[in-house]
Amino acid sequence: MAEFEQGNIRNFCIIAHIDHGKSTLADRIIEKTGTLTSREMSDQVLDNMDLERERGITIKAQTVRNIYKAKDGKEYVFNLIDTPGHVDFNYEVSRSLAACEGAVLVVDAAQGIEAQTLANVYLALDHDLEILPVINKIDLPSAEPQRVIEEIEDVIGIEAQDAPQISAKNGTNIEAVLEAIVEKIPAPEGDPEAPLKALIFDSVYDSYKGVIIFCRVKDGRVRKGTKIQMMATGASEEVVEVGYFGAGQFIPCEELSAGMVGYITASLKNVKETRVGDTITDKDRPCKEPLPGYKKVQSMVFCGMYPADGAKYPDLRDALEKLQLNDASLRFEPETSAALGFGFRCGFLGLLHLEVIQERLEREYNLDLVTTAPSVVYKVYKTNGEVIDLTNPTNLPDPSEIDHMEEPIVNAEIMVTKEFIGSIMDLCQERRGTYISMEYIEENRALLKYELPLNEIIYDFFDALKSRSRGYASFDYDIKGYQPSQLVKLDILINKEEVDALSFIVFEGTAYERARKMCEKLYEFFPRQLFEIPIQAAVGSKIIARETVKALRKDVLAKCYGGDITRKKKLLEKQKEGKKRMRQVGNVEIPQKAFMAVLKLDDD
Amino acid sequence: MERDLEIYIHIPFCARKCGYCDFLSFPASEEAKERYVRALVRDILDEGTPAYAVRTVFMGGGTPSLLREGQTAEILEAVHRAFQVDRDAEVTIEANPGTLTKEKLRAYRQMGINRLSMGLQSVSDRELKLLGRIHTYQDFLDNYWEARRAGFDNINVDLMSALPGQTAADWREGLRRTAALEPEHISAYSLIVEEHTPFYERYGRDRERLERGEEPVFLPGEEEERRMYADTLEILSQAGYRRYEISNYARPGRECRHNKGYWKRTPYLGFGLGAASLLEGRRFRRVQEMGAFLERPGAREEETALSRQEEMEETLFLGLRLTKGVSEEEFFRLFGEPLDKAYEKPLEDMLRAGLLERREGWVRLTRRGIDVSNYVMAQFLL
């Protein structure tokens, strides 16, 4: 590493709206800089998890070091820090950006700027990054590069006339991007002789090496034997190994010094001690102040997770513990439900994070889960002065003990074409949004700003937005804070028995409608059973909605054509399968998917 | 001693496909039928073995009576050459009204067919038309009496309830008129709206409504349908029939031996397109695609060896279709384990729910149990 001077290092990330081609461009850069031969490339090297590939999003930040021989004849080190692509992981994104000097902004030549593009650009500008616009997908028939260039100049206010016009998919014009990185993105600065100051932008757990810290050295140097300390968590250990990132592998080296991006291992056992955003320093020669911007990430969304088979409870605990080794933002604690037995209340950054964890538990750990409806964290101010962070609706104190409640609010930015402005404003209105502003960013498109309660958007807001704008609207948000609100707990009674795991908190003004829809949805999910089953929704002791699942009257195969019993068997097996997906509560069988019914209230 | 065997022969041809039918059956040219008969005969001869005694032969369809007498005779001839058929074997052919003639019926008798199963479905010409049948009630009557004159003393008549627009009174009328003809056996089953049929296009929404417990628009409601079922037992009992299976009624001693074999898991070999078999603890079927069948008529598909558990399950969910139910002694003899041990919980649950009853060593469905028999049977899948 020593042969590379600070001046020959470029630390950058790629930012883009989802689907605009971030990962594909990253792949091309890796390919062109010779880190991998094209034969070794599987598509989208940086998206590691199956899930990421399937969904086309990046969940964990990935980092690759490439060597690029530029037209000026010199070799450059490119540290490409791929950022997570979802609002749930905004904080991680901001820390990754803080590790860079520049950002390659990828914009789709057909779609132009979207809400996430803007959010990412603002974030990059906050970190004083040099922004290098790139127009991607010029191979599309609907591509309008010149229009998009003008849009970038108008909306973002950066020069874009000589932005490389590329097709990452076809590999067209990638060199132009590489040269622009060399020319436009500044080399890192920082004093290698000053006390160590390095930013943690990610950390993963490895069963052989322990925690592997991904960091950017701002000042000083770190090598094997350095006694490092995390300034926020206080954890301290001796460095075992430092190195940089090959594609998919860790390559040890002598030393990381100011300006470099790499990894450190120090026999740490838990990623909790190496929180993203924390500053690493030399314990024996500490820096005066940590890097700015550290915050402990908060779980925004909670839900109950229960093993479908109660006997698998220890397996679920083990799996959650393992996942937490790699994911400091995952929280969980044991809870019990009368309906679902033993399980865990789990905290997530957002709904995507929840889904990712849920899918990983199911796929990688082969667990069959029953998940209860997600809830945001409410602040309950009790009359005795106590304040509770409520993560499970079941634990809401008696109304007589509650002075008032507050709910989390977000600042939302929605970008939408003119024709759908009306319907999107209606949607925000229905979701209790407060209108803030609207500005036209070009003749045909506007940026709407709203304040929205988080609990109105965690479920299905994104889907509703897409369906009401025929897929055109894009959306981004960040947490604003808490605000007093009139909230009530809606309880669900199945066959006159309250099912704790089905309770949820709603805004009082929409309680009747939600209750009605919830009962309708549950009715759809409920197979008929041997007796009639009333499904009721109640606030306190007052029933406000009801549906009735009629008793199973007839379920018989009248004609069963003798010899061909396979068909009959299949029918019975389907019934048996259905039965497996039921939870017995009292003498009623509740289908597992009913516990997520609240998510589907706006399906129609 | 030879073991029991039943033989099923599938004739997948009909004059015209009925609107509700999802069986493997279709109209075909004379040449196509002849090619099929050739393949069928070859298959039977190839498969032949003296290791079994054939107790019953059943030619089903489609409409087997569409074949020329000579073709039918060739097929049965092959069965006799390839297998040991009991002298008093039950030999049935399915026939649709309108396809039988005096000559054909006489020929059937001569080739040893001793039982006739007639697809009447309804005594109302309006309903017959709605179902897409090619015959009238009068056509049926003509054929029925012709069959009696030809010497058939064992005749089944199929009837279908729960038809669109049908009332319980209509159904009772149909039962009475049929019983008055004194056939030995009546199959009375209710219409099932199957997917991939023209009826599904028309009544599929109604089927969904029924499944949810809501009122259908065209089909009789659940209560009406269950009333038809109850009326069937009442009317046919008074007329001297006994119910021996969920949808089958017979005069004493005239139960269909072939069909009972299916519920009792007697081994059977099915010949012809898509025909199912149970042999030596294995289930399999002939290929369902005509081209492949003609090329290799003996080829099997979906072959599975049944595990002990699957055999237990089958013993229950097939046996429970019989009015008599499942014999606990027989179960123990077969599996070396008492029924109430192998199925302790479901048995207890279903007895307590009043869906099963247990008497003198037999476990059977109650009346309410029959109504929801799929639910009951599903409990016995382990």
Side-chain angles (χ1 to χ4, degrees):
Chain A
M1 267 308 276
E3 69 268 30
F4 288 102
E5 298 296 322
Q6 255 187 10
N8 290 354
I9 297 175
R10 298 290 182 275
N11 298 319
F12 65 97
C13 56
I14 306 177
I15 55 180
H17 188 72
I18 188 165
D19 285 341
H20 281 196
K22 185 174 71 163
S23 299
T24 316
L25 176 59
D27 288 352
R28 290 297 157 265
I29 291 176
I30 294 167
E31 200 179 67
K32 291 280 177 194
T33 51
T35 313
L36 289 180
T37 64
S38 45
R39 224 161 20 91
E40 291 168 321
M41 295 273 306
S42 72
D43 272 351
Q44 309 203 341
V45 172
L46 291 184
D47 288 352
N48 264 343
M49 286 188 256
D50 288 349
L51 263 177
E52 295 184 323
R53 271 181 213 190
E54 277 164 32
R55 296 187 176 208
I57 50 169
T58 310
I59 295 161
K60 275 298 248 187
Q62 305 284 329
T63 303
V64 182
R65 174 183 182 271
N66 311 286
I67 308 297
Y68 174 59
K69 190 160 185 186
K71 289 194 175 136
D72 63 11
K74 286 189 237 167
E75 287 196 326
Y76 289 84
V77 176
F78 280 9
N79 286 308
L80 164 56
I81 298 166
D82 195 20
T83 57
H86 192 272
V87 59
D88 280 6
F89 306 99
N90 242 338
Y91 178 66
E92 271 92 340
V93 176
S94 86
R95 292 307 85 197
S96 296
L97 295 182
C100 303
E101 277 74 41
V104 174
L105 169 67
V106 182
V107 185
D108 183 307
Q111 292 185 1
I113 290 175
E114 296 288 356
Q116 234 178 41
T117 321
L118 269 191
N120 281 319
V121 166
Y122 294 144
L123 215 50
L125 290 174
D126 283 348
H127 290 88
D128 291 329
L129 299 194
E130 181 67 31
I131 293 177
L132 179 65
V134 168
I135 315 298
N136 190 21
K137 304 197 188 180
I138 54 161
D139 55 307
L140 292 181
S142 53
E144 292 179 82
Q146 198 49 42
R147 179 185 70 81
V148 172
I149 284 169
E150 278 157 27
E151 195 175 272
I152 292 172
E153 295 193 328
D154 289 351
V155 178
I156 305 175
I158 56 171
E159 165 69 34
Q161 282 309 324
D162 50 359
Q165 299 185 17
I166 68 164
S167 162
K169 196 177 92 191
N170 300 339
T172 313
N173 225 2
I174 305 300
E175 277 86 358
V177 180
L178 301 174
E179 285 298 317
I181 290 169
V182 171
E183 284 166 30
K184 301 250 167 84
I185 294 178
E189 291 168 357
D191 181 359
E193 307 312 325
L196 175 64
K197 193 187 250 186
L199 170 73
I200 303 180
F201 62 86
D202 199 3
S203 60
V204 298
Y205 181 79
D206 178 280
S207 45
Y208 299 105
K209 296 178 186 241
V211 176
I212 301 174
I213 305 165
F214 292 26
C215 68
R216 156 71 195 271
V217 182
K218 293 283 190 181
D219 283 322
R221 25 182 114 242
V222 56
R223 49 168 56 222
K224 185 177 174 181
T226 309
K227 271 210 161 151
I228 52 165
Q229 180 156 41
M230 318 301 144
M231 295 182 77
T233 66
S236 160
E237 267 304 333
E238 196 174 286
V239 173
V240 174
E241 186 180 301
V242 298
Y244 51 86
F245 307 101
Q249 55 182 332
F250 297 105
I251 301 169
C253 67
E254 280 291 303
E255 180 183 88
L256 296 175
S257 63
M260 292 171 124
V261 170
Y263 71 89
I264 298 173
T265 66
S267 38
L268 290 154
K269 287 279 167 282
N270 198 314
V271 290
K272 275 185 193 162
E273 295 168 332
T274 57
R275 293 205 176 259
V276 170
D278 200 353
T279 303
I280 306 172
T281 192
D282 188 332
K283 195 173 185 199
D284 300 327
R285 191 183 161 220
C287 60
K288 288 200 185 76
E289 282 180 352
L291 293 157
Y294 171 76
K295 62 179 186 190
K296 199 174 155 187
V297 287
Q298 296 291 326
S299 301
M300 299 309 300
V301 175
F302 284 78
C303 75
M305 285 190 168
Y306 294 81
D309 170 3
K312 292 278 174 72
Y313 174 78
D315 299 12
L316 177 57
R317 188 187 50 224
D318 289 352
L320 284 167
E321 277 169 2
K322 285 204 181 99
L323 287 178
Q324 202 180 43
L325 285 177
N326 254 329
D327 185 348
S329 51
L330 169 65
R331 284 179 51 187
F332 63 91
E333 54 192 49
E335 71 171 9
T336 51
S337 149
L340 298 172
F342 291 99
F344 296 93
R345 175 92 348 204
C346 303
F348 307 93
L349 298 173
L351 202 66
L352 178 77
H353 188 210
L354 183 158
E355 284 174 29
V356 167
I357 296 293
Q358 188 183 355
E359 287 198 39
R360 293 189 65 186
L361 287 169
E362 286 177 348
R363 287 193 200 186
E364 295 170 27
Y365 296 91
N366 213 4
L367 289 163
D368 197 1
L369 296 178
V370 183
T371 309
T372 66
S375 167
V376 301
V377 184
Y378 298 96
K379 287 200 184 294
V380 183
Y381 291 82
K382 292 175 69 174
T383 46
N384 65 6
E386 204 185 325
V387 184
I388 304 174
D389 282 339
L390 185 77
T391 60
N392 182 349
T394 315
N395 300 337
L396 186 72
D398 190 85
S400 64
E401 295 172 29
I402 300 173
D403 182 67
H404 72 283
M405 286 171 72
E406 289 184 355
E407 64 178 331
I409 304 289
V410 303
N411 289 315
E413 294 193 348
I414 301 163
M415 200 164 283
V416 61
T417 47
K418 209 166 166 179
E419 54 184 321
F420 300 113
I421 289 174
S423 59
I424 297 303
M425 288 178 89
D426 287 346
L427 173 67
C428 292
Q429 220 59 48
E430 289 161 25
R431 302 298 178 93
R432 300 190 283 131
T434 308
Y435 172 82
I436 303 296
S437 69
M438 177 173 80
E439 50 185 296
Y440 276 88
I441 56 166
E442 56 180 333
E443 202 183 301
N444 195 28
R445 284 208 305 171
L447 179 66
L448 281 171
K449 292 191 180 175
Y450 269 87
E451 284 180 9
L452 284 158
L454 183 62
N455 92 344
E456 296 285 346
I457 60 172
I458 54 167
Y459 302 150
D460 57 348
F461 185 74
F462 193 69
D463 295 335
L465 196 72
K466 286 287 176 194
S467 75
R468 291 206 196 178
S469 64
R470 297 203 200 118
Y472 284 120
S474 61
F475 166 62
D476 204 67
Y477 69 85
D478 58 28
I479 301 292
K480 175 174 180 274
Y482 275 78
Q483 189 169 290
S485 182
Q486 291 296 320
L487 300 162
V488 293
K489 179 160 73 104
L490 201 62
D491 292 318
I492 302 296
L493 290 79
I494 305 286
N495 204 22
K496 314 269 166 134
E497 301 248 1
E498 188 181 316
V499 179
D500 58 358
L502 286 172
S503 295
F504 61 109
I505 306 264
V506 286
F507 178 63
E508 196 174 22
T510 57
Y512 273 90
E513 202 200 331
R514 297 258 120 184
R516 185 179 54 77
K517 284 189 169 168
M518 182 71 178
C519 289
E520 283 172 9
K521 217 40 172 187
L522 287 169
Y523 172 79
E524 275 177 41
F525 285 157
F526 257 78
R528 296 163 72 194
Q529 295 174 32
L530 292 174
F531 42 86
E532 185 177 283
I533 302 168
I535 297 173
Q536 296 161 303
V539 172
S541 57
K542 192 174 168 204
I543 304 286
I544 62 172
R546 175 184 168 126
E547 290 284 339
T548 307
V549 180
K550 284 205 189 148
L552 180 65
R553 181 71 185 88
K554 180 205 165 193
D555 182 13
V556 52
L557 257 195
K559 174 96 173 171
C560 186
Y561 208 72
D564 190 6
I565 73 142
T566 33
R567 185 195 282 194
K568 178 171 174 60
K569 215 167 173 176
K570 274 181 194 149
L571 187 106
L572 294 178
E573 260 155 18
K574 218 171 118 191
Q575 289 206 352
K576 179 174 110 175
E577 267 313 297
K579 198 173 155 57
K580 269 197 197 159
R581 305 206 173 281
M582 304 278 235
R583 294 298 284 217
Q584 186 87 28
V585 176
N587 54 355
V588 181
E589 290 174 331
I590 301 181
Q592 285 178 17
K593 58 185 172 181
F595 294 99
M596 288 291 265
V598 67
L599 296 188
K600 313 264 192 234
L601 296 187
D602 291 285
D603 268 5
D604 7 67
Chain B
M1 207 183 88
E2 306 94 347
R3 284 166 291 167
D4 293 355
L5 182 73
E6 312 201 303
I7 285 179
Y8 175 78
I9 295 161
H10 190 63
I11 307 298
F13 306 119
C14 48
R16 191 177 80 197
K17 190 94 175 152
C18 299
Y20 58 88
C21 173
D22 78 329
F23 288 137
L24 198 48
S25 165
F26 37 83
S29 67
E30 284 307 315
E31 295 76 42
K33 286 179 198 156
E34 182 56 28
R35 272 199 302 277
Y36 183 77
V37 171
R38 297 265 67 79
L40 196 54
V41 166
R42 209 172 95 210
D43 187 12
I44 294 168
L45 293 176
D46 287 351
E47 206 47 66
T49 160
Y52 293 93
V54 175
R55 311 289 186 205
T56 69
V57 179
F58 195 103
M59 288 181 87
T63 307
S65 53
L66 272 185
L67 292 185
R68 282 180 288 108
E69 297 92 300
Q71 292 172 319
T72 314
E74 269 184 85
I75 295 166
L76 287 176
E77 171 77 24
V79 172
H80 280 274
R81 273 172 60 192
F83 296 92
Q84 272 189 270
V85 182
D86 282 4
R87 280 177 153 274
D88 61 347
E90 175 193 273
V91 183
T92 307
I93 189 165
E94 284 187 334
N96 264 356
T99 60
L100 294 173
T101 59
K102 192 197 275 181
E103 292 70 30
K104 202 175 246 179
L105 288 160
R106 286 203 177 133
Y108 284 169
R109 292 295 301 168
Q110 276 166 12
M111 59 184 93
I113 296 176
N114 52 27
R115 187 170 180 273
L116 204 58
S117 176
M118 299 183 73
L120 168 59
Q121 316 309 355
S122 170
V123 302
S124 146
D125 286 343
R126 186 192 67 79
E127 287 174 1
L128 288 173
K129 207 167 163 192
L130 175 99
L131 290 169
R133 305 291 293 177
I134 54 165
H135 57 87
T136 61
Y137 180 52
Q138 189 56 51
D139 292 337
F140 164 77
L141 286 177
D142 293 346
N143 278 189
Y144 181 81
W145 294 122
E146 200 67 67
R148 285 296 197 213
R149 283 193 291 272
F152 278 98
D153 62 357
N154 197 1
I155 299 182
N156 165 59
V157 176
D158 280 347
L159 285 178
M160 215 188 257
S161 63
L163 305 182
Q166 190 184 46
T167 63
D170 295 340
W171 173 245
R172 283 194 295 269
E173 166 78 5
L175 282 171
R176 285 199 190 97
R177 286 170 74 174
T178 306
L181 301 174
E182 302 185 348
E184 285 66 32
H185 189 287
I186 294 175
S187 273
Y189 52 93
S190 58
L191 171 74
I192 301 175
V193 177
E194 300 280 6
E195 279 161 46
H196 316 296
T197 63
F199 263 40
Y200 191 74
E201 307 282 310
R202 273 181 267 167
Y203 309 118
R205 287 273 301 131
D206 256 14
R207 189 179 100 171
E208 282 167 30
R209 290 189 190 101
L210 279 166
E211 281 164 5
R212 289 253 36 126
E214 292 157 13
E215 269 314 298
V217 179
F218 306 103
L219 299 172
E222 277 182 321
E223 289 303 327
E224 184 88 344
E225 194 276 336
R226 284 294 90 186
R227 134 131 331 153
M228 291 181 194
Y229 186 73
D231 288 350
T232 309
L233 181 65
E234 192 189 316
I235 290 170
L236 294 186
S237 298
Q238 284 165 6
Y241 296 87
R242 287 206 298 237
R243 178 162 72 205
Y244 69 97
E245 192 263 358
I246 289 181
S247 311
N248 284 298
Y249 303 77
R251 294 190 176 281
R254 298 303 192 119
E255 294 90 359
C256 175
R257 284 157 53 193
H258 183 84
N259 261 320
K260 265 165 79 175
Y262 290 140
W263 315 128
K264 292 180 157 176
R265 304 188 70 253
T266 309
Y268 57 94
L269 255 176
F271 294 103
L273 197 65
S277 298
L278 169 66
L279 198 70
E280 320 263 317
R282 306 173 82 81
R283 289 199 180 270
F284 54 89
R285 61 159 77 233
R286 292 290 188 259
V287 292
Q288 297 178 79
E289 198 271 309
M290 184 59 98
F293 176 79
L294 292 176
E295 207 166 292
R296 286 184 59 212
R300 300 173 172 186
E301 60 185 28
E302 295 173 21
E303 181 156 1
T304 48
L306 299 172
S307 64
R308 175 172 177 270
Q309 184 188 314
E310 283 173 311
E311 294 198 324
M312 274 194 195
E313 290 170 1
E314 286 190 358
T315 302
L316 274 150
F317 76 72
L318 295 173
L320 283 175
R321 283 195 71 91
L322 293 168
T323 309
K324 219 171 161 185
V326 176
S327 155
E328 295 189 55
E329 191 187 320
E330 175 75 0
F331 188 92
F332 185 80
R333 195 182 61 76
L334 287 170
F335 302 107
E337 189 179 354
L339 178 62
D340 54 3
K341 185 141 174 285
Y343 287 107
E344 189 180 348
K345 180 152 167 36
L347 188 63
E348 205 175 282
D349 288 351
M350 294 299 101
L351 287 168
R352 191 162 357 99
L355 301 176
L356 285 181
E357 60 186 17
R358 189 179 190 185
R359 249 180 240 158
E360 288 145 21
W362 291 77
V363 173
R364 66 177 73 98
L365 291 168
T366 61
R367 277 181 86 138
R368 169 82 176 119
I370 290 175
D371 291 343
V372 293
S373 54
N374 286 340
Y375 174 87
V376 179
M377 290 166 185
Q379 313 297 314
F380 288 92
L381 300 190
L382 291 170

